[in-house]
Amino acid sequence: RRTRPFLSRWLPFDPDRHTLDNLLRLMTLFGCDTAGLLPAVACSSGRPEVIDNLLSQADGQILIGVAPFASSLDKTLDSSRAAALLDALASIPRTSVVLVGAPADRTRADEIARRTPAPVTDLAGRTDLPALCDVLRRCRIVVSVDSGPMHLAAALGVSTVALFGEEDPVLWRPRGPSPHRVLRATDERAGASVNAIPVEMVVAAVRDLLGDAEDEGRVFQLPVEVAS
């Protein structure tokens, strides 16, 4: 609804291709060579000592970022599910978990913290955009709902485990040079919810990426009951 009227005036929108590819098709009308282009982000705070301080408690060899928040509540993990995910990820050997989010997510981050005993570095609302990019760069993997941090991490070259609800991952999955895993849960009515994705499957996807699998991002779609 947001982009298709713009696209369809000059080229038919192709719902079977990623939104990025649809947008790049427009650029070919201006004579641009778009072959092989991927998103890339060069933003940085330029202050590594500040990032060192923010991550001083994250002493594991493998840093896993978690972004459970989105501007839409339909895309956001609820507090209990997010806390269970943080617990499970923190139990992976040699890992440290860092929670990221915007200032508007601070209340929800506090609620998650009350629900988990896991040693999580909570940076929700503590970074501006350049510092967030620096934090994401230091992560081996970022687990994220369909949100800005997911796309940023992918464009920064960080592997992501992307959790999708009703948005179509064919159109919005992470795009970047590193391998990704896309998880989605649907029922027979084609309804979907990020909160229907089993935590165990998220952890399995993280472990899969830690094994340095190099294939292009796969979409795992689960036929599970979605609560109304």
Side-chain angles (χ1 to χ4, degrees):
R1 290 190 298 273
R2 295 186 297 270
T3 58
R4 293 184 189 187
F6 171 68
L7 287 166
S8 299
R9 181 177 296 275
W10 291 280
L11 287 173
F13 184 89
D14 185 348
D16 295 322
R17 299 177 69 174
H18 196 281
T19 301
L20 171 64
D21 294 326
N22 274 290
L23 292 170
L24 289 176
R25 288 169 60 223
L26 282 178
M27 301 308 298
T28 64
L29 299 181
F30 297 95
C32 298
D33 179 7
T34 64
L37 286 184
L38 287 173
V41 176
C43 184
S44 173
S45 69
R47 303 180 65 189
E49 71 282 357
V50 172
I51 309 305
D52 289 342
N53 184 59
L54 288 172
L55 297 174
S56 60
Q57 301 302 313
D59 54 4
Q61 297 177 20
I62 301 169
L63 188 63
I64 299 177
V66 179
F69 313 113
S71 56
S72 168
L73 287 178
D74 292 337
K75 297 182 180 183
T76 299
L77 284 178
D78 63 39
S79 297
S80 59
R81 181 57 60 97
L85 176 59
L86 292 173
D87 286 345
L89 293 174
S91 69
I92 298 175
R94 300 184 297 113
T95 62
S96 289
V97 179
V98 55
L99 180 68
V100 299
D105 302 319
R106 188 62 260 161
T107 298
R108 287 180 287 186
D110 289 340
E111 175 62 24
I112 293 170
R114 286 193 289 269
R115 291 174 178 265
T116 176
V120 175
T121 299
D122 182 0
L123 299 185
R126 297 181 60 194
T127 57
D128 57 13
L129 182 59
L132 174 61
C133 288
D134 289 336
V135 169
L136 294 176
R137 275 192 190 92
R138 298 201 185 186
C139 294
R140 173 77 173 272
I141 294 171
V142 171
V143 179
S144 178
V145 297
D146 176 25
S147 63
M150 178 195 79
H151 295 294
L152 272 178
L156 289 164
V158 180
S159 291
T160 65
V161 175
L163 313 180
F164 274 79
E166 292 192 2
E167 289 283 4
D168 187 352
V170 171
L171 296 175
W172 298 107
R173 67 186 183 279
R175 289 287 293 272
S178 297
H180 309 288
R181 299 292 176 264
V182 177
L183 307 183
R184 194 183 192 213
T186 64
D187 63 9
E188 65 277 4
R189 302 186 305 275
S193 168
V194 292
N195 290 296
I197 301 171
V199 168
E200 296 80 8
M201 191 168 197
V202 181
V203 174
V206 169
R207 289 183 177 275
D208 188 30
L209 285 173
L210 288 176
D212 292 325
E214 295 296 338
D215 57 307
E216 177 61 27
R218 290 174 282 167
V219 177
F220 298 87
Q221 189 154 297
L222 306 175
V224 299
E225 182 83 14
V226 177
S228 59

